[in-house]
Amino acid sequence: MDVVVVGAGITASRVVEELQAKGHAGRITVIGAERHQPYDRPPLSKEVLRGEGREPTLPTDWSGVQLLLSRQVVALSTSDKQIRLDDGTTSPYDALVIATGARPRTLPVLSGAGVHVLRSRDDAAALADDIRRAGRLVVIGAGFIGSEVAASARAMGAAVTMIEILPAPLSRVLGEQVGQAIATMHGEQGVDLHCGVSVQESRGEGDDRELVLSDGQVVAAPVVLVGLGVTPDTGWLDGSGVEVDDGVVCDATGRTSVGQVWAAGDVARWWHPLYDAAIRMEHWTSAAAQGSVVAQSVLGEDRPLDEVPYFWSDQYGLKLQMLGRPAPGDDVTLLQVGPKERLVAVYGRSGVATAVFGVGAARWVMRSGPLLQERSSVDEAIALMGT
């Protein structure tokens, strides 16, 4: 059986590793749009951006894999099980794994020299060069990428302004109450944070660029990172018959609406048995776990993925961690734990614990996994934080 993986990130790595571990003897082909050997993306906004010497390589053994790099897949024909590449060639498959990830959103009013997104190694290198040259950075969007880049730029000695349309950083995921605590952390580290405003106009270009905000303020912006989230990279699936709805629609093992086609990672929206809902999770841990599960499914060993979602972020030398899946309107209880009084937030809905978030509080966050898996009460979660 010939397995083709479109995309060359952590999902592809885990698919390959699992197939190898299971003794798969067929051909494995991995197709990547970038020129680089497959690598890990989380360090791009941190160690790689700061130039701390870490190579974001993946430990996968690629020696028995056909790696096609700098190649774009432009179309999928499920009727004859072939993909078409940008050079006009085709590649047949017996099993196809869609792992194309996502593309960064952009702002129509912003373009030209000094305007960046961050998704690739080349993006990180170009952004780092500009930050060092200008000594100043404006971050538009205070989500995870924006917040991590702001923290890294401050560590690089740059002046940082961050602009967020919502009331607080990360409030779309963490809620406003916890987001305000994150805002305080940025402020203490010298970030000039503007929340509840948007960019209305860009004047000038390059080093002379200024941004006009919705409240009338004008911000000098020689270097800009647009960190407004991502959209699933699914355009090449048009007309293929693969169902797409805010990502490739999958069951709990990564199977799509078309036989012998699976999807995983940022591009996929998986059915999650624990929440009885289809969820697209844009995090490294989900992409890695889904890759392993998909490989097993390809080999006929279906194992639905029902683990409690987990993600982390590194900012200012602290690890921000979340277990579970909070939702807008959840009740939030803020706690201070341990001798350093680290922030922990317990989320709940109708008395049931839905998530636990912590800043520099790994011990407390990670112990909550079994409790969240069992849908235990908020009171039990809070009591656990005190032990």
Side-chain angles (χ1 to χ4, degrees):
M1 177 172 58
D2 292 344
V3 180
V4 174
V5 184
V6 183
I10 183 60
T11 299
S13 172
R14 290 299 170 85
V15 169
V16 169
E17 290 172 359
E18 191 71 22
L19 290 175
Q20 291 171 338
K22 297 287 186 179
H24 173 66
R27 185 173 62 180
I28 304 173
T29 302
V30 173
I31 303 170
E34 295 184 49
R35 58 189 176 90
H36 303 285
Q37 188 92 354
Y39 61 88
D40 226 358
R41 293 189 188 276
L44 296 181
S45 58
K46 300 178 274 288
E47 296 93 339
V48 172
L49 185 64
R50 298 193 297 264
E52 294 179 353
R54 175 181 170 184
E55 280 293 317
T57 54
L58 291 163
T60 307
D61 177 10
W62 302 101
S63 59
V65 176
Q66 183 182 20
L67 268 178
L68 301 179
L69 302 178
S70 299
R71 307 288 286 277
Q72 292 272 1
V73 177
V74 297
L76 165 63
S77 174
T78 56
S79 59
D80 55 4
K81 291 188 176 181
Q82 288 195 92
I83 54 173
R84 189 170 81 249
L85 280 66
D86 52 357
D87 62 357
T89 62
T90 60
S91 177
Y93 66 85
D94 296 313
L96 176 69
V97 180
I98 299 168
T100 41
R103 296 181 180 274
R105 294 188 177 97
T106 58
L107 266 181
V109 298
L110 275 174
S111 62
V115 177
H116 299 266
V117 294
L118 181 56
R119 189 69 182 177
S120 70
R121 290 188 68 168
D122 291 342
D123 291 341
L127 176 59
D129 287 346
D130 268 2
I131 291 173
R132 292 191 179 94
R133 176 188 58 77
R136 178 170 181 78
L137 174 68
V138 174
V139 178
I140 301 175
F144 285 104
I145 290 295
S147 292
E148 289 177 357
V149 169
S152 290
R154 289 297 297 136
M156 297 163 69
V160 177
T161 299
M162 190 153 57
I163 300 164
E164 171 57 57
I165 194 170
L166 296 176
L170 298 169
S171 55
R172 181 171 282 110
V173 177
L174 304 180
E176 185 174 346
Q177 191 175 358
V178 179
Q180 292 296 344
I182 304 302
T184 298
M185 181 177 71
H186 284 298
E188 290 173 346
Q189 296 294 330
V191 173
D192 181 20
L193 180 60
H194 299 255
C195 291
V197 296
S198 60
V199 176
Q200 296 296 297
E201 182 184 356
S202 176
R203 299 174 180 167
E205 297 181 358
D207 289 349
D208 297 323
R209 183 185 296 106
E210 294 180 330
L211 302 182
V212 181
L213 307 186
S214 56
D215 62 0
Q217 292 188 74
V218 178
V219 176
V223 182
V224 181
L225 172 76
V226 180
L228 297 176
V230 296
T231 57
D233 187 1
T234 58
W236 62 282
L237 296 171
D238 290 350
S240 68
V242 173
E243 183 181 359
V244 174
D245 181 9
D246 184 32
V248 179
V249 178
C250 302
D251 68 9
T253 67
R255 293 179 183 273
T256 72
S257 59
V258 174
Q260 295 304 109
V261 179
W262 288 259
D266 290 1
V267 74
R269 193 156 70 91
W270 278 41
W271 186 263
H272 201 301
L274 186 61
Y275 302 108
D276 199 28
I279 305 171
R280 189 166 65 83
M281 296 176 283
E282 300 171 4
H283 298 290
W284 184 96
T285 46
S286 301
Q290 289 175 359
S292 296
V293 169
V294 158
Q296 294 169 27
S297 184
V298 166
L299 297 176
E301 304 174 10
D302 284 355
R303 178 179 67 83
L305 185 63
D306 61 356
E307 300 169 356
V308 174
Y310 168 74
F311 65 80
W312 86 94
S313 174
D314 294 312
Q315 301 174 33
Y316 308 112
L318 294 170
K319 190 169 290 291
L320 285 60
Q321 295 170 291
M322 171 76 83
L323 262 175
R325 184 173 176 250
D330 278 4
D331 299 318
V332 184
T333 302
L334 299 185
L335 306 169
Q336 291 181 318
V337 300
K340 295 185 178 181
E341 297 187 334
R342 299 297 197 191
L343 171 68
V344 166
V346 176
Y347 296 79
R349 189 164 51 252
S350 301
V352 176
T354 56
V356 174
F357 171 80
V359 179
R363 171 183 157 194
W364 289 269
V365 174
M366 300 312 293
R367 68 170 59 162
S368 67
L371 181 148
L372 295 170
Q373 189 83 44
E374 296 164 6
R375 300 180 182 241
S376 300
S377 71
V378 170
D379 289 343
E380 289 176 276
I382 293 172
L384 184 66
M385 295 304 108
T387 60

